[in-house]
mmCIF file with all atom_site columns, all heavy atoms in Angstrom:
data_model
loop_
_atom_site.group_PDB
_atom_site.id
_atom_site.type_symbol
_atom_site.label_atom_id
_atom_site.label_alt_id
_atom_site.label_comp_id
_atom_site.label_asym_id
_atom_site.label_entity_id
_atom_site.label_seq_id
_atom_site.pdbx_PDB_ins_code
_atom_site.Cartn_x
_atom_site.Cartn_y
_atom_site.Cartn_z
_atom_site.occupancy
_atom_site.B_iso_or_equiv
_atom_site.pdbx_formal_charge
_atom_site.auth_seq_id
_atom_site.auth_comp_id
_atom_site.auth_asym_id
_atom_site.auth_atom_id
_atom_site.pdbx_PDB_model_num
ATOM 1   N N   . GLY A 1 62 ? 11.582 2.773   -14.894 1.00 0.00 ? 85 GLY A N   1
ATOM 2   C CA  . GLY A 1 62 ? 12.004 2.513   -13.521 1.00 0.00 ? 85 GLY A CA  1
ATOM 3   C C   . GLY A 1 62 ? 11.710 1.113   -13.029 1.00 0.00 ? 85 GLY A C   1
ATOM 4   O O   . GLY A 1 62 ? 12.027 0.775   -11.893 1.00 0.00 ? 85 GLY A O   1
ATOM 5   N N   . VAL A 1 63 ? 11.103 0.279   -13.880 1.00 0.00 ? 86 VAL A N   1
ATOM 6   C CA  . VAL A 1 63 ? 10.803 -1.106  -13.484 1.00 0.00 ? 86 VAL A CA  1
ATOM 7   C C   . VAL A 1 63 ? 12.044 -1.968  -13.710 1.00 0.00 ? 86 VAL A C   1
ATOM 8   O O   . VAL A 1 63 ? 12.625 -1.944  -14.794 1.00 0.00 ? 86 VAL A O   1
ATOM 9   C CB  . VAL A 1 63 ? 9.617  -1.671  -14.294 1.00 0.00 ? 86 VAL A CB  1
ATOM 10  C CG1 . VAL A 1 63 ? 9.421  -3.155  -13.987 1.00 0.00 ? 86 VAL A CG1 1
ATOM 11  C CG2 . VAL A 1 63 ? 8.348  -0.888  -13.978 1.00 0.00 ? 86 VAL A CG2 1
ATOM 12  N N   . ASP A 1 64 ? 12.441 -2.691  -12.683 1.00 0.00 ? 87 ASP A N   1
ATOM 13  C CA  . ASP A 1 64 ? 13.616 -3.546  -12.776 1.00 0.00 ? 87 ASP A CA  1
ATOM 14  C C   . ASP A 1 64 ? 13.354 -4.711  -13.741 1.00 0.00 ? 87 ASP A C   1
ATOM 15  O O   . ASP A 1 64 ? 12.433 -5.506  -13.527 1.00 0.00 ? 87 ASP A O   1
ATOM 16  C CB  . ASP A 1 64 ? 13.962 -4.082  -11.382 1.00 0.00 ? 87 ASP A CB  1
ATOM 17  C CG  . ASP A 1 64 ? 15.217 -4.921  -11.405 1.00 0.00 ? 87 ASP A CG  1
ATOM 18  O OD1 . ASP A 1 64 ? 16.307 -4.346  -11.358 1.00 0.00 ? 87 ASP A OD1 1
ATOM 19  O OD2 . ASP A 1 64 ? 15.091 -6.177  -11.476 1.00 0.00 ? 87 ASP A OD2 1
ATOM 20  N N   . GLN A 1 65 ? 14.168 -4.811  -14.790 1.00 0.00 ? 88 GLN A N   1
ATOM 21  C CA  . GLN A 1 65 ? 13.932 -5.821  -15.822 1.00 0.00 ? 88 GLN A CA  1
ATOM 22  C C   . GLN A 1 65 ? 14.076 -7.235  -15.280 1.00 0.00 ? 88 GLN A C   1
ATOM 23  O O   . GLN A 1 65 ? 13.305 -8.133  -15.643 1.00 0.00 ? 88 GLN A O   1
ATOM 24  C CB  . GLN A 1 65 ? 14.900 -5.610  -16.995 1.00 0.00 ? 88 GLN A CB  1
ATOM 25  C CG  . GLN A 1 65 ? 14.642 -6.509  -18.196 1.00 0.00 ? 88 GLN A CG  1
ATOM 26  C CD  . GLN A 1 65 ? 13.256 -6.320  -18.798 1.00 0.00 ? 88 GLN A CD  1
ATOM 27  O OE1 . GLN A 1 65 ? 12.837 -5.176  -19.028 1.00 0.00 ? 88 GLN A OE1 1
ATOM 28  N NE2 . GLN A 1 65 ? 12.532 -7.410  -19.061 1.00 0.00 ? 88 GLN A NE2 1
ATOM 29  N N   . ALA A 1 66 ? 15.067 -7.440  -14.398 1.00 0.00 ? 89 ALA A N   1
ATOM 30  C CA  . ALA A 1 66 ? 15.261 -8.781  -13.833 1.00 0.00 ? 89 ALA A CA  1
ATOM 31  C C   . ALA A 1 66 ? 14.048 -9.200  -13.006 1.00 0.00 ? 89 ALA A C   1
ATOM 32  O O   . ALA A 1 66 ? 13.598 -10.353 -13.073 1.00 0.00 ? 89 ALA A O   1
ATOM 33  C CB  . ALA A 1 66 ? 16.525 -8.807  -12.983 1.00 0.00 ? 89 ALA A CB  1
ATOM 34  N N   . ALA A 1 67 ? 13.517 -8.258  -12.229 1.00 0.00 ? 90 ALA A N   1
ATOM 35  C CA  . ALA A 1 67 ? 12.327 -8.563  -11.413 1.00 0.00 ? 90 ALA A CA  1
ATOM 36  C C   . ALA A 1 67 ? 11.126 -8.823  -12.308 1.00 0.00 ? 90 ALA A C   1
ATOM 37  O O   . ALA A 1 67 ? 10.290 -9.702  -12.015 1.00 0.00 ? 90 ALA A O   1
ATOM 38  C CB  . ALA A 1 67 ? 12.040 -7.406  -10.458 1.00 0.00 ? 90 ALA A CB  1
ATOM 39  N N   . LEU A 1 68 ? 11.034 -8.083  -13.406 1.00 0.00 ? 91 LEU A N   1
ATOM 40  C CA  . LEU A 1 68 ? 9.934  -8.292  -14.343 1.00 0.00 ? 91 LEU A CA  1
ATOM 41  C C   . LEU A 1 68 ? 10.037 -9.669  -14.994 1.00 0.00 ? 91 LEU A C   1
ATOM 42  O O   . LEU A 1 68 ? 9.042  -10.403 -15.106 1.00 0.00 ? 91 LEU A O   1
ATOM 43  C CB  . LEU A 1 68 ? 9.941  -7.198  -15.409 1.00 0.00 ? 91 LEU A CB  1
ATOM 44  C CG  . LEU A 1 68 ? 8.871  -7.312  -16.497 1.00 0.00 ? 91 LEU A CG  1
ATOM 45  C CD1 . LEU A 1 68 ? 7.468  -7.196  -15.903 1.00 0.00 ? 91 LEU A CD1 1
ATOM 46  C CD2 . LEU A 1 68 ? 9.075  -6.237  -17.567 1.00 0.00 ? 91 LEU A CD2 1
ATOM 47  N N   . ASP A 1 69 ? 11.235 -10.018 -15.416 1.00 0.00 ? 92 ASP A N   1
ATOM 48  C CA  . ASP A 1 69 ? 11.437 -11.332 -16.036 1.00 0.00 ? 92 ASP A CA  1
ATOM 49  C C   . ASP A 1 69 ? 11.092 -12.457 -15.057 1.00 0.00 ? 92 ASP A C   1
ATOM 50  O O   . ASP A 1 69 ? 10.487 -13.468 -15.438 1.00 0.00 ? 92 ASP A O   1
ATOM 51  C CB  . ASP A 1 69 ? 12.891 -11.479 -16.493 1.00 0.00 ? 92 ASP A CB  1
ATOM 52  C CG  . ASP A 1 69 ? 13.231 -10.554 -17.661 1.00 0.00 ? 92 ASP A CG  1
ATOM 53  O OD1 . ASP A 1 69 ? 12.287 -10.077 -18.325 1.00 0.00 ? 92 ASP A OD1 1
ATOM 54  O OD2 . ASP A 1 69 ? 14.435 -10.306 -17.888 1.00 0.00 ? 92 ASP A OD2 1
ATOM 55  N N   . GLU A 1 70 ? 11.478 -12.274 -13.802 1.00 0.00 ? 93 GLU A N   1
ATOM 56  C CA  . GLU A 1 70 ? 11.182 -13.283 -12.786 1.00 0.00 ? 93 GLU A CA  1
ATOM 57  C C   . GLU A 1 70 ? 9.674  -13.416 -12.578 1.00 0.00 ? 93 GLU A C   1
ATOM 58  O O   . GLU A 1 70 ? 9.151  -14.522 -12.459 1.00 0.00 ? 93 GLU A O   1
ATOM 59  C CB  . GLU A 1 70 ? 11.850 -12.910 -11.460 1.00 0.00 ? 93 GLU A CB  1
ATOM 60  C CG  . GLU A 1 70 ? 11.636 -13.948 -10.366 1.00 0.00 ? 93 GLU A CG  1
ATOM 61  C CD  . GLU A 1 70 ? 12.338 -13.556 -9.069  1.00 0.00 ? 93 GLU A CD  1
ATOM 62  O OE1 . GLU A 1 70 ? 13.056 -12.537 -9.063  1.00 0.00 ? 93 GLU A OE1 1
ATOM 63  O OE2 . GLU A 1 70 ? 12.156 -14.273 -8.069  1.00 0.00 ? 93 GLU A OE2 1
ATOM 64  N N   . ALA A 1 71 ? 8.997  -12.282 -12.549 1.00 0.00 ? 94 ALA A N   1
ATOM 65  C CA  . ALA A 1 71 ? 7.542  -12.311 -12.366 1.00 0.00 ? 94 ALA A CA  1
ATOM 66  C C   . ALA A 1 71 ? 6.870  -13.032 -13.537 1.00 0.00 ? 94 ALA A C   1
ATOM 67  O O   . ALA A 1 71 ? 5.983  -13.867 -13.358 1.00 0.00 ? 94 ALA A O   1
ATOM 68  C CB  . ALA A 1 71 ? 7.005  -10.890 -12.233 1.00 0.00 ? 94 ALA A CB  1
ATOM 69  N N   . LEU A 1 72 ? 7.328  -12.718 -14.754 1.00 0.00 ? 95 LEU A N   1
ATOM 70  C CA  . LEU A 1 72 ? 6.717  -13.319 -15.947 1.00 0.00 ? 95 LEU A CA  1
ATOM 71  C C   . LEU A 1 72 ? 7.016  -14.809 -16.061 1.00 0.00 ? 95 LEU A C   1
ATOM 72  O O   . LEU A 1 72 ? 6.237  -15.563 -16.659 1.00 0.00 ? 95 LEU A O   1
ATOM 73  C CB  . LEU A 1 72 ? 7.229  -12.590 -17.196 1.00 0.00 ? 95 LEU A CB  1
ATOM 74  C CG  . LEU A 1 72 ? 6.706  -11.165 -17.388 1.00 0.00 ? 95 LEU A CG  1
ATOM 75  C CD1 . LEU A 1 72 ? 7.459  -10.457 -18.525 1.00 0.00 ? 95 LEU A CD1 1
ATOM 76  C CD2 . LEU A 1 72 ? 5.205  -11.181 -17.698 1.00 0.00 ? 95 LEU A CD2 1
ATOM 77  N N   . SER A 1 73 ? 8.125  -15.237 -15.479 1.00 0.00 ? 96 SER A N   1
ATOM 78  C CA  . SER A 1 73 ? 8.515  -16.644 -15.594 1.00 0.00 ? 96 SER A CA  1
ATOM 79  C C   . SER A 1 73 ? 7.534  -17.596 -14.889 1.00 0.00 ? 96 SER A C   1
ATOM 80  O O   . SER A 1 73 ? 7.545  -18.796 -15.153 1.00 0.00 ? 96 SER A O   1
ATOM 81  C CB  . SER A 1 73 ? 9.925  -16.843 -15.015 1.00 0.00 ? 96 SER A CB  1
ATOM 82  O OG  . SER A 1 73 ? 9.926  -16.659 -13.605 1.00 0.00 ? 96 SER A OG  1
ATOM 83  N N   . GLN A 1 74 ? 6.706  -17.052 -14.008 1.00 0.00 ? 97 GLN A N   1
ATOM 84  C CA  . GLN A 1 74 ? 5.756  -17.910 -13.281 1.00 0.00 ? 97 GLN A CA  1
ATOM 85  C C   . GLN A 1 74 ? 4.542  -18.305 -14.116 1.00 0.00 ? 97 GLN A C   1
ATOM 86  O O   . GLN A 1 74 ? 3.853  -19.268 -13.819 1.00 0.00 ? 97 GLN A O   1
ATOM 87  C CB  . GLN A 1 74 ? 5.201  -17.188 -12.056 1.00 0.00 ? 97 GLN A CB  1
ATOM 88  C CG  . GLN A 1 74 ? 6.184  -16.531 -11.140 1.00 0.00 ? 97 GLN A CG  1
ATOM 89  C CD  . GLN A 1 74 ? 5.441  -15.674 -10.137 1.00 0.00 ? 97 GLN A CD  1
ATOM 90  O OE1 . GLN A 1 74 ? 4.845  -16.174 -9.189  1.00 0.00 ? 97 GLN A OE1 1
ATOM 91  N NE2 . GLN A 1 74 ? 5.438  -14.376 -10.343 1.00 0.00 ? 97 GLN A NE2 1
ATOM 92  N N   . PHE A 1 75 ? 4.251  -17.511 -15.136 1.00 0.00 ? 98 PHE A N   1
ATOM 93  C CA  . PHE A 1 75 ? 3.006  -17.691 -15.880 1.00 0.00 ? 98 PHE A CA  1
ATOM 94  C C   . PHE A 1 75 ? 3.120  -18.838 -16.887 1.00 0.00 ? 98 PHE A C   1
ATOM 95  O O   . PHE A 1 75 ? 4.185  -19.083 -17.454 1.00 0.00 ? 98 PHE A O   1
ATOM 96  C CB  . PHE A 1 75 ? 2.644  -16.395 -16.612 1.00 0.00 ? 98 PHE A CB  1
ATOM 97  C CG  . PHE A 1 75 ? 2.172  -15.302 -15.719 1.00 0.00 ? 98 PHE A CG  1
ATOM 98  C CD1 . PHE A 1 75 ? 3.079  -14.439 -15.102 1.00 0.00 ? 98 PHE A CD1 1
ATOM 99  C CD2 . PHE A 1 75 ? 0.815  -15.120 -15.463 1.00 0.00 ? 98 PHE A CD2 1
ATOM 100 C CE1 . PHE A 1 75 ? 2.641  -13.423 -14.270 1.00 0.00 ? 98 PHE A CE1 1
ATOM 101 C CE2 . PHE A 1 75 ? 0.368  -14.113 -14.631 1.00 0.00 ? 98 PHE A CE2 1
ATOM 102 C CZ  . PHE A 1 75 ? 1.292  -13.265 -14.032 1.00 0.00 ? 98 PHE A CZ  1
#
Side-chain angles (χ1 to χ4, degrees):
V86 174
D87 183 83
Q88 186 60 48
L91 178 63
D92 292 342
E93 182 179 355
L95 289 170
S96 68
Q97 311 170 76
F98 288 86

